[in-house]
Amino acid sequence: MTKVTLKKILQDNWQNFLKKKIKRIPKVIRADVIETVEKAMDCGRLEKGYTEYMCLECMES
Protein backbone atom coordinates (compact mmCIF):
# COMPACT_ATOMS: atom_id res chain seq x y z
CA MET A 1 0.00 0.00 0.00
CA THR A 2 1.33 3.45 -0.96
CA LYS A 3 1.65 5.98 1.85
CA VAL A 4 -0.50 9.04 1.15
CA THR A 5 0.74 12.33 2.55
CA LEU A 6 -0.52 15.88 2.33
CA LYS A 7 2.65 16.77 0.44
CA LYS A 8 1.92 14.07 -2.17
CA ILE A 9 -1.70 15.21 -2.54
CA LEU A 10 -0.52 18.78 -3.12
CA GLN A 11 2.15 17.71 -5.61
CA ASP A 12 -0.35 15.62 -7.56
CA ASN A 13 -3.09 18.26 -7.69
CA TRP A 14 -1.62 21.75 -7.25
CA GLN A 15 -1.06 22.61 -10.92
CA ASN A 16 -4.58 21.55 -11.85
CA PHE A 17 -5.97 23.60 -8.96
CA LEU A 18 -4.01 26.66 -10.10
CA LYS A 19 -5.34 26.32 -13.64
CA LYS A 20 -8.98 25.72 -12.77
CA LYS A 21 -9.83 26.99 -9.30
CA ILE A 22 -7.33 29.55 -7.98
CA LYS A 23 -9.87 32.31 -8.63
CA ARG A 24 -12.05 30.82 -5.89
CA ILE A 25 -9.46 32.01 -3.38
CA PRO A 26 -10.09 35.65 -2.40
CA LYS A 27 -7.62 37.92 -4.17
CA VAL A 28 -6.49 39.49 -0.90
CA ILE A 29 -5.01 36.18 0.35
CA ARG A 30 -4.24 34.45 -2.94
CA ALA A 31 -0.49 35.20 -2.93
CA ASP A 32 -0.18 33.96 0.66
CA VAL A 33 -2.00 30.73 -0.17
CA ILE A 34 0.25 30.09 -3.17
CA GLU A 35 3.39 30.79 -1.14
CA THR A 36 2.27 28.51 1.71
CA VAL A 37 1.37 25.59 -0.56
CA GLU A 38 4.64 25.88 -2.48
CA LYS A 39 6.58 25.90 0.81
CA ALA A 40 4.69 22.80 1.95
CA MET A 41 5.61 20.99 -1.27
CA ASP A 42 9.30 21.89 -0.76
CA CYS A 43 9.29 20.70 2.84
CA GLY A 44 11.98 18.16 3.60
CA ARG A 45 14.45 19.38 0.99
CA LEU A 46 17.76 20.23 2.66
CA GLU A 47 18.76 22.68 -0.08
CA LYS A 48 15.78 24.83 0.95
CA GLY A 49 17.18 25.12 4.47
CA TYR A 50 16.11 23.78 7.82
CA THR A 51 15.82 24.73 11.47
CA GLU A 52 17.48 22.85 14.28
CA TYR A 53 16.31 23.22 17.86
CA MET A 54 18.49 22.36 20.84
CA CYS A 55 17.94 22.49 24.56
CA LEU A 56 20.24 25.17 26.03
CA GLU A 57 20.63 23.13 29.21
CA CYS A 58 21.74 20.07 27.25
CA MET A 59 24.28 22.14 25.30
CA GLU A 60 26.02 23.17 28.52
CA SER A 61 26.62 19.62 29.78
Side-chain angles (χ1 to χ4, degrees), residues 11-38:
Q11 289 171 334
D12 291 349
N13 296 286
W14 182 238
Q15 290 304 313
N16 189 44
F17 177 85
L18 284 175
K19 288 177 191 172
K20 295 182 178 181
K21 300 188 181 186
I22 192 64
K23 291 184 180 181
R24 291 185 178 188
I25 304 293
K27 203 171 200 174
V28 68
I29 64 167
R30 197 174 295 162
D32 292 329
V33 169
I34 292 169
E35 179 183 354
T36 301
V37 171
E38 289 176 353

Side-chain angles (χ1 to χ4, degrees), residues 2-61:
T2 304
K3 183 178 178 183
V4 178
T5 64
L6 179 57
K7 181 177 179 176
K8 180 70 173 143
I9 293 168
L10 291 172
Q11 289 171 334
D12 291 349
N13 296 286
W14 182 238
Q15 290 304 313
N16 189 44
F17 177 85
L18 284 175
K19 288 177 191 172
K20 295 182 178 181
K21 300 188 181 186
I22 192 64
K23 291 184 180 181
R24 291 185 178 188
I25 304 293
K27 203 171 200 174
V28 68
I29 64 167
R30 197 174 295 162
D32 292 329
V33 169
I34 292 169
E35 179 183 354
T36 301
V37 171
E38 289 176 353
K39 282 182 180 180
M41 290 190 299
D42 280 340
C43 184
R45 295 177 61 193
L46 290 178
E47 65 269 16
K48 294 291 185 174
Y50 66 95
T51 301
E52 183 175 6
Y53 297 94
M54 297 183 92
C55 171
L56 294 177
E57 290 178 22
C58 295
M59 289 177 56
E60 293 174 4
S61 43

